[in-house]
Amino acid sequence: CRLYEHQQGTVLLDDQDITTLTLESLRAQMAIVSQDNFLFDGTIKDNIRFARPDASDEQVIRACEALGCLDILQALPDGLDSPVGERGASLSLGQRQLVCFARAMLADPRLLILDEATSAVDTFTEHHVQQALERLIERRTCLIVAHRLSTIRRADRILVIDRGRIVESGAHDDLMRNSGHYAALHREFVRLIEGDGAAEHP
């Protein structure tokens, strides 16, 4: 997003150096969903529409429908008109993430950045968030930073970083065959699921 300028190398978007793009053009093509997303004091609908202030109520509803989360948000006391409270205090963590996913869906970015977007979500809520996430990433380029392997195992390319360096790169099946860092993390991930019935950080 060029919130910070890179110090080395080149960052390309469609083979074009991002430093040659205006910030307005660059940021109009991307959306970010992080672990700690900011919700302002307003309604759910207001917070989703933050991505596109000119969006109609119908467009907001369609974004929620596309994610498969409309029924969850509509079940709140005032539906999409329910107040979220300051920083989303009146919503659960999972509900806050769904609102942020809907915001990103409404923005319809070409490039989606997910920064630990499901890391703090409990296992029960993660099922709903994960389903919405899979719909959100369809047909768009995504950069996903995650420790939960359930979030990344279907990625086209996985980069395994250890102590600030890329130590492995490839698809899930290839990395499992290599029996390296990723395979060890995956074995621990599976062990935790089978042993505790919950997927925590390996």
Side-chain angles (χ1 to χ4, degrees), residues 141-195:
T141 300
C142 302
L143 298 176
I144 303 173
V145 180
H147 285 83
R148 283 192 174 183
L149 301 189
S150 57
T151 306
I152 61 171
R153 60 182 300 163
R154 293 175 58 188
D156 297 309
R157 185 182 182 195
I158 299 169
L159 303 177
V160 183
I161 299 176
D162 183 42
R163 300 179 184 180
R165 294 187 177 276
I166 297 173
V167 294
E168 286 182 298
S169 173
H172 170 80
D173 290 342
D174 296 331
L175 294 176
M176 289 300 295
R177 283 193 291 269
N178 289 343
S179 299
H181 286 70
Y182 181 85
L185 286 171
H186 191 271
R187 284 194 299 271
E188 181 66 9
F189 176 76
V190 172
R191 185 189 67 78
L192 287 169
I193 292 176
E194 293 177 346

Side-chain angles (χ1 to χ4, degrees), residues 22-200:
T22 65
L23 290 179
E24 181 180 9
S25 173
L26 177 66
R27 293 172 182 170
Q29 300 180 63
M30 61 176 60
I32 303 174
V33 181
S34 65
Q35 178 180 344
D36 299 311
N37 280 285
F38 181 79
L39 298 182
F40 59 88
D41 192 8
T43 67
I44 290 175
K45 193 181 298 179
D46 293 335
N47 275 274
I48 295 173
R49 191 181 277 122
F50 186 76
R52 283 181 53 198
D54 61 340
S56 66
D57 287 354
E58 181 60 31
Q59 288 172 316
V60 171
I61 290 171
R62 284 204 301 267
C64 295
E65 286 178 333
L67 283 177
C69 68
L70 181 61
D71 56 339
I72 296 173
L73 299 178
Q74 289 282 37
L76 294 168
D78 295 310
L80 296 182
D81 291 315
S82 298
V84 304
E86 188 170 352
R87 299 188 67 84
S90 65
L91 302 179
S92 70
L93 181 58
Q95 289 167 338
R96 291 200 295 270
Q97 287 300 81
L98 290 176
V99 170
C100 293
F101 285 167
R103 179 191 291 170
M105 179 66 84
L106 183 64
D108 192 23
R110 296 176 60 205
L111 174 62
L112 176 66
I113 300 173
L114 302 173
D115 187 2
E116 297 286 9
T118 65
S119 64
V121 178
D122 61 84
T123 306
F124 175 77
T125 306
E126 185 188 15
H127 173 70
H128 300 286
V129 172
Q130 196 71 36
Q131 286 184 323
L133 178 60
E134 289 180 7
R135 297 185 182 191
L136 178 61
I137 66 178
E138 288 178 355
R139 297 185 300 278
R140 67 181 90 243
T141 300
C142 302
L143 298 176
I144 303 173
V145 180
H147 285 83
R148 283 192 174 183
L149 301 189
S150 57
T151 306
I152 61 171
R153 60 182 300 163
R154 293 175 58 188
D156 297 309
R157 185 182 182 195
I158 299 169
L159 303 177
V160 183
I161 299 176
D162 183 42
R163 300 179 184 180
R165 294 187 177 276
I166 297 173
V167 294
E168 286 182 298
S169 173
H172 170 80
D173 290 342
D174 296 331
L175 294 176
M176 289 300 295
R177 283 193 291 269
N178 289 343
S179 299
H181 286 70
Y182 181 85
L185 286 171
H186 191 271
R187 284 194 299 271
E188 181 66 9
F189 176 76
V190 172
R191 185 189 67 78
L192 287 169
I193 292 176
E194 293 177 346
D196 303 329
E200 301 298 336

